[in-house]
Amino acid sequence: MKSVVGHLKSQRRTLSVGQVATRLEHRLYLSEPTRQATQEGCELAIRHGLSGVIVRPESVPTAGLHLAGTSVGVVTIPGWRHEEVEPLGTQALLAESRRLAAEGATDLGMLATAEGLAADAGHRFADDVTALVDAMQAYGARVRVVLDTDGLTPDATRAACALLGATGAWLVQGGSWRGTARTGLSRVQLMRAALPERIRLKWTFPVRSLDSMMICIAEGVDRFNGDAESILKDAERRAAFGPLLVPDPDTDY
């Protein structure tokens, strides 16, 4: 007869170091957008097998050229100017997105704020997301939505996720857009429950440790910001002594 402990362990998922890496995105916009800095950041992403780099629009041509033919994606947001994202009309949004996709962007984002979702109960914003998804199909590029949960109540967050779930976006990113406010696990759970299963979930605030990352993976988070080199070094160290286990929410915490 199998022990209870053995049975519980068999229900936990395991990840390889490479699988941990593919859940991390490298934020190149934190440094000066010079050609050298962009190339060095892209090299780091290639070396570690990260899922993508996040760059401002002006760095897309350099990143796109450097990452062409690799598995590392190029993520940007149309209308991103310095520290702000300028709301764009539909035609301006599509025009800039087509240019960025032609320059090498593989993942186009749209920022959803409380103010932006206020018009027509969010349907106007959702219509623009759908239009962008349709336009990017010709380029093989995906569309994500960065949902700034600052100023959104749980009910408003849930409603936004339900609305965005029907747009064709492949990923919804939640949390403080500027990364200044930490949000509890309950908001992650709320968003995961409100989004269709096919839509991936990312959390904006940088994950601080491999342990925190594993708990969030258990809760359904698929992509992360964070110090990739530090997290992967820890993952390699642990993997040398045993499997990397994703905890079971029902039994481990």
Side-chain angles (χ1 to χ4, degrees):
M1 179 177 179
K2 294 183 179 179
S3 69
V4 174
V5 173
H7 175 71
L8 292 178
K9 283 185 178 179
S10 69
Q11 301 304 307
R12 300 186 182 109
R13 288 181 290 156
T14 62
L15 295 178
S16 67
V17 176
Q19 287 172 323
V20 173
T22 59
R23 293 173 178 266
L24 290 163
E25 296 183 328
H26 191 25
R27 298 172 296 160
L28 299 191
Y29 60 86
L30 296 178
S31 59
E32 286 297 318
T34 63
R35 185 179 185 86
Q36 180 178 351
T38 300
Q39 290 177 339
E40 289 175 352
C42 290
E43 281 299 320
L44 183 150
I46 294 171
R47 185 166 64 251
H48 290 293
L50 307 184
S51 65
V53 298
I54 308 172
V55 297
R56 290 192 176 95
E58 61 265 30
S59 298
V60 167
T62 300
L65 183 64
H66 207 77
L67 294 172
T70 75
S71 62
V72 182
V74 180
V75 185
T76 194
I77 300 178
W80 194 357
R81 315 284 186 251
H82 303 292
E83 300 300 322
E84 303 294 336
V85 175
E86 174 189 349
L88 300 175
T90 305
Q91 295 309 312
L93 168 69
L94 297 180
E96 183 168 343
S97 296
R98 290 188 180 103
R99 175 180 61 79
L100 291 169
E103 292 173 343
T106 61
D107 200 326
L108 283 298
M110 290 183 61
L111 176 62
T113 63
E115 294 78 11
L117 292 170
D120 193 24
H123 290 284
R124 188 177 304 171
F125 180 87
D127 287 346
D128 277 351
V129 177
T130 300
L132 184 57
V133 170
D134 292 342
M136 289 300 99
Q137 288 180 1
Y139 296 87
R142 301 186 293 189
V143 175
R144 68 174 61 187
V145 176
V146 181
L147 179 61
D148 189 352
T149 56
D150 280 359
L152 291 179
T153 65
D155 284 346
T157 301
R158 188 179 294 108
C161 287
L163 187 65
L164 297 172
T167 60
W170 82 278
L171 178 147
V172 172
Q173 177 175 328
S176 172
W177 157 242
R178 298 185 183 280
T180 56
R182 299 187 67 179
T183 303
L185 190 60
S186 62
R187 189 59 63 95
V188 173
Q189 294 167 325
L190 182 155
M191 290 188 67
R192 183 65 273 171
L195 288 167
E197 187 176 348
R198 63 177 176 78
I199 294 184
R200 304 294 181 88
L201 174 63
K202 179 182 175 181
W203 203 244
T204 299
F205 196 85
V207 65
R208 294 182 179 273
S209 68
L210 179 62
D211 288 330
S212 296
M213 185 175 175
M214 288 297 200
I215 290 174
C216 287
I217 291 172
E219 294 294 339
V221 182
D222 301 284
R223 293 291 185 276
F224 299 86
N225 292 324
D227 185 340
E229 290 188 300
S230 175
I231 290 172
L232 293 176
K233 183 177 180 180
D234 190 18
E236 289 171 355
R237 179 182 61 81
R238 296 194 196 186
F241 295 96
L244 301 175
L245 295 174
V246 177
D248 183 340
D250 294 327
T251 60
D252 294 327
Y253 63 91

